[in-house]
Amino acid sequence: MEKKMITVTSPLLPDLGEFNEYLQKIWDSKWITNNGQFHRELEQALADYLKVPYVSLFTNGTLPLITALQALHITGEVITTPYSFVATTHALWWNGIKPVFVDIDQATGNLDPNKIEAAITPRTTAIMPVHVYGKPCDVAAIQEIADQYGLKVIYDAAHAFGVEVNGKSILEAGDLSTLSFHATKVYNTIEGGAMIMHDETTKKRIDYLKNFGFANETTVVGPGINSKMDEIRSAYGLINLRQVDKAIEARHQVAVKYREALRNVDGITFFDDMPGVRHNYSYFPIFVEAKKYGMTRDELYFKMKDQGVLGRRYFYPLISEFSTYRGLESAAPSNLPNAHKMADSVICLPMHHALREEDVKSVINCIINK
Ligand SMILES: *Cc1c(COP(=O)(O)O)cnc(C)c1O
């Protein structure tokens, strides 16, 4: 018999019967894309759920990043983090922008605001931080620097669905924020994403840009792209949104169990909840200190794999280590010591809504029994 694998994530799927009812409506209307009924409904439902004024849906989480940079006319150099999924920096590259990597804060994994100023040059036009693992960046400190130097701030908030600080959405920080609704994320539309903006004019402009720049049948207001979400995935998203709170609570319970079991394991550390923050438990990274734990990160990672526990080394290697970016001055490891330390010690444990009690126990035992 094939051994059952415990995967790092598992997609939240809508009830098939319910989805079928939506599909029937779509088949009846024959309206399958281009700002249809479910697209509009999902934008409104997400704005309500996320407590943000405007949402524009996209076909994935990479295109809103690329489009945000276009919409704000960002050029030259942008300060960003190497500790993220590679799409963050790729979005800059696709806009002909030079990424400038700044080190992270060891306590959070996020861009260290204290190190941003030293990386600003006359060519710097923006900062692109990431709320890594859904942990909120120090948005006040980042905004202060941005205001002082006249820089825009675009947050890659792909991990931060539903994250709030003192009851306020983290997605309201900066000029624009972007989300990913990829299958692996807390909330998914199979593939999908969104941009969050503060005002109606920007929402309108983004809606044009994601549809080739069409403002109406005969007017193209700018060099747009095609990054619209279709009706089928919008309907899927509407159903999934109704069960996402339950999924986040199930993840929370897994996090509680992991923390309880691993708190006193020598050489293993993890993040605790931050005061005043509504977390989404999108990931559960642990950090292995080889000397204390008695095994390297990779030894533990492969041992887990052998036992059917499929963690992932997010985010190893760092983006600054990929061939496209390695040659940049700011990619030098000596510039990014904290990011390297984190990338070399991290394993993200299985974390999703459908983990069973026995799965969680298997993961814990794998780490405890050396
Ligand atoms: C998932 C992810 C993206 C890309 O989203 P897609 O929907 O897969 O295009 C971008 N940035 C970060 C940090 C991500 O984790």
Side-chain angles (χ1 to χ4, degrees):
M1 204 178 81
E2 206 177 314
K3 199 160 81 180
K4 194 189 163 293
M5 297 291 183
I6 304 173
T7 51
V8 74
T9 189
S10 176
L12 185 65
L13 290 165
D15 177 79
L16 207 46
E18 237 178 309
F19 189 41
N20 215 13
E21 285 171 28
Y22 276 85
L23 288 178
Q24 189 61 57
K25 286 182 197 167
I26 295 170
W27 258 241
D28 290 344
S29 74
K30 298 185 173 55
W31 191 312
I32 59 178
T33 188
N34 285 40
N35 198 28
Q37 180 193 339
F38 296 132
H39 184 284
R40 294 194 304 272
E41 276 181 33
L42 183 56
E43 284 191 343
Q44 190 53 57
L46 282 168
D48 294 343
Y49 177 86
L50 298 169
K51 302 187 195 167
V52 295
Y54 298 98
V55 173
S56 184
L57 281 172
F58 277 74
T59 196
N60 60 47
T62 302
L63 281 160
L65 278 172
I66 291 173
T67 308
L69 292 161
Q70 281 282 321
L72 298 177
H73 303 295
I74 305 297
T75 57
E77 296 176 3
V78 169
I79 289 169
T80 191
T81 171
Y83 196 76
S84 177
F85 182 61
V86 71
T88 311
T89 312
H90 281 351
L92 296 170
W93 202 261
W94 273 69
N95 277 285
I97 295 163
K98 181 179 171 186
V100 175
F101 296 112
V102 163
D103 204 11
I104 56 170
D105 177 355
Q106 194 78 334
T108 63
N110 289 327
L111 203 56
D112 185 347
N114 296 315
K115 294 188 178 142
I116 291 175
E117 255 184 298
I120 296 174
T121 75
R123 287 171 54 78
T124 311
T125 54
I127 308 171
M128 198 157 83
V130 178
H131 305 292
V132 81
Y133 307 130
K135 289 172 67 64
C137 289
D138 186 347
V139 296
I142 291 170
Q143 196 58 53
E144 203 180 308
I145 298 165
D147 289 345
Q148 195 181 335
Y149 289 87
L151 307 176
K152 301 284 188 194
V153 185
I154 298 168
Y155 282 97
D156 179 347
H159 300 174
F161 184 88
V163 172
E164 295 173 11
V165 181
N166 299 323
K168 205 169 153 351
S169 173
I170 196 69
L171 303 171
E172 287 211 81
D175 294 282
L176 294 168
S177 286
T178 65
L179 289 166
S180 165
F181 304 151
H182 184 256
T184 54
K185 307 296 207 265
V186 169
Y187 168 78
N188 84 86
T189 59
I190 308 175
E191 295 269 0
M195 196 189 301
I196 312 300
M197 58 284 288
H198 300 287
D199 61 88
E200 199 178 346
T201 311
T202 309
K203 155 82 172 146
K204 219 176 204 173
R205 188 167 144 67
I206 296 298
D207 286 350
Y208 296 158
L209 282 178
K210 76 178 181 191
N211 187 31
F212 311 98
F214 276 109
N216 60 45
E217 226 178 285
T218 50
T219 315
V220 170
V221 295
I225 195 159
N226 180 10
S227 46
K228 308 184 294 291
M229 184 182 279
D230 57 79
E231 284 295 277
I232 294 175
R233 285 182 292 149
S234 299
Y236 176 110
L238 277 168
I239 307 167
N240 251 357
L241 190 58
R242 296 200 284 266
Q243 52 172 355
V244 74
D245 274 336
K246 221 174 114 191
I248 290 173
E249 185 45 33
R251 287 166 170 270
H252 180 196
Q253 291 316 314
V254 174
V256 167
K257 285 181 195 135
Y258 280 155
R259 283 175 184 152
E260 221 172 70
L262 301 176
R263 189 164 304 278
N264 296 315
V265 179
D266 243 9
I268 300 289
T269 52
F270 48 79
F271 295 125
D272 275 304
D273 284 357
M274 294 159 75
V277 174
R278 185 215 186 220
H279 291 281
N280 65 8
Y281 306 97
S282 47
Y283 300 88
F284 195 89
I286 61 165
F287 305 97
V288 183
E289 196 184 324
K291 262 195 195 137
K292 278 196 194 160
Y293 181 66
M295 205 185 269
T296 66
R297 184 275 306 270
D298 284 347
E299 281 168 351
L300 175 58
Y301 171 74
F302 287 111
K303 189 191 96 169
M304 285 165 59
K305 212 170 182 176
D306 282 347
Q307 297 186 9
V309 176
L310 304 181
R312 291 296 297 269
R313 289 167 290 179
Y314 299 139
F315 289 95
Y316 166 85
L318 293 176
I319 302 176
S320 50
E321 291 295 299
F322 292 123
S323 58
T324 315
Y325 307 114
R326 208 157 53 195
L328 295 168
E329 204 181 316
S330 65
S334 57
N335 185 46
L336 308 165
N338 291 342
H340 274 274
K341 196 172 165 208
M342 203 167 264
D344 289 343
S345 63
V346 69
I347 302 176
C348 283
L349 300 185
M351 171 52 87
H352 58 83
H353 65 286
L355 278 176
R356 299 165 307 171
E357 187 103 29
E358 67 226 63
D359 298 331
V360 175
K361 277 197 185 127
S362 300
V363 177
I364 291 167
N365 285 337
C366 203
I367 298 164
I368 288 179
N369 305 324
K370 280 179 255 181

